[in-house]
Amino acid sequence: MGYDIERFVGYVNEGLLCSICRDVLEDPLQAPCEHAFCTACIHGWLVHHSNCPEDRQVIDVSLLRPLYRYMKNDLNRLQLHCRNREYGCEMVCSLESIDRHERECEYSQIPCSNAGCTVQIERRNMDGHLAVCEYRSRECPNGCGYTILSAEDTQHNCVAELRTELELLRSEMICRVEEAKHEMESRLDSQRRHMVQKESILQNEIEELKSQMSRMMSDVRSLMAAERQHRQELEQAELEKREL
């Protein structure tokens, strides 16, 4: 939807009106046939139609383009009243700057910032409202450190609140201890499994080394026996040589 034409000061060119809602263009788009529309209006129209609402020429969302620059400049220069005029704001400014003004306008109706409060009040009166709002919060005057709502003043009990907090802290501590215990047990189990696996690997390596050593000792004994045999043969050969 566009800007209500009644808000504008002076004459508004027909070409700056939306061809659908007939208000002043808001976030405008232009069809190839040069008819202009508010973005929300033309998108809503094209959900159920496939042509221009003015001359019935076929159009598609992909054919829509931004407004011509000179038309955009004319649109931005239009002067209009703040939407909070009915609440007392007398500001008149250009369409280009109206959004910035209305975001900061002292006459804007804004919600109370206190949780639970549903009151909407003018920005300029918000400080006064917050000072008396029944949902305003403050620190307990008795020194327990709790933040309380004014509406809860008569129900607030420092001892009961602190006892409740202590129980919550105790429960939280127990949970954390249990979590730490489970985590430690899990780590110990993991390390135990790793050590058992490592021990098994080392045991296999030891057995392999023993086997290799046994083979080596057998080879050494075989070599020593062969050496004795060879020595005996040499001695026998020496004796036979002497006899000859």
Side-chain angles (χ1 to χ4, degrees), residues 54-69:
E54 283 286 319
D55 57 20
R56 303 304 173 183
Q57 290 190 34
V58 175
I59 59 172
D60 183 77
V61 172
S62 61
L63 301 176
L64 299 173
R65 295 291 181 267
L67 207 61
Y68 292 136
R69 180 176 296 180

Side-chain angles (χ1 to χ4, degrees), residues 130-172:
L130 291 175
V132 298
C133 178
E134 63 176 331
Y135 290 93
R136 71 187 186 279
S137 59
R138 61 190 179 88
E139 189 172 314
C140 174
N142 296 323
C144 72
Y146 269 83
T147 299
I148 58 176
L149 298 175
S150 294
E152 298 175 349
D153 280 355
T154 57
Q155 301 175 357
H156 177 67
N157 184 312
C158 294
V159 174
E161 294 287 358
L162 290 173
R163 184 179 292 114
T164 300
E165 182 175 5
L166 182 61
E167 290 299 325
L168 289 173
L169 289 173
R170 183 181 291 113
S171 298
E172 183 179 355

